[in-house]
Amino acid sequence: MSEQAKEWLDGNDLKTDEQWRLYVDGASNAKGSGAGVVFVTPEGAVIERVMSLGYNASNNEAEYEALLSG
């Protein structure tokens, strides 16, 4: 979990009946592969995370890695 997410979670009281939104995307090209995750809290705060996969992945593999990291 990113430091930004930890700080937000420590400073806020979570309620189980509220919904979070999760957006994921992955991409691959000749220069490398990466993935991104965006959480949107019920209050509208945005928590973003991006990563380089460190290996040559297909676009579908990059998308799957993004989902797993979320």
Side-chain angles (χ1 to χ4, degrees):
M1 180 181 298
S2 73
E3 288 300 316
Q4 180 184 12
K6 287 178 188 176
E7 289 174 15
W8 189 92
L9 290 171
D10 288 342
N12 290 280
D13 184 27
L14 297 178
K15 297 178 180 135
T16 57
D17 61 340
E18 296 178 343
Q19 291 186 346
W20 287 52
R21 288 177 289 168
L22 170 66
Y23 300 94
V24 297
D25 194 19
S28 178
N29 62 34
K31 294 183 180 182
S33 304
V37 179
V38 176
F39 292 98
V40 181
T41 70
E43 294 80 19
V46 176
I47 303 169
E48 300 172 329
R49 180 177 177 201
V50 295
M51 67 200 94
S52 175
L53 296 181
Y55 64 93
N56 291 331
S58 71
N59 193 61
N60 286 344
E61 290 171 322
E63 298 267 353
Y64 186 65
E65 289 289 347
L67 179 62
L68 290 178
S69 69

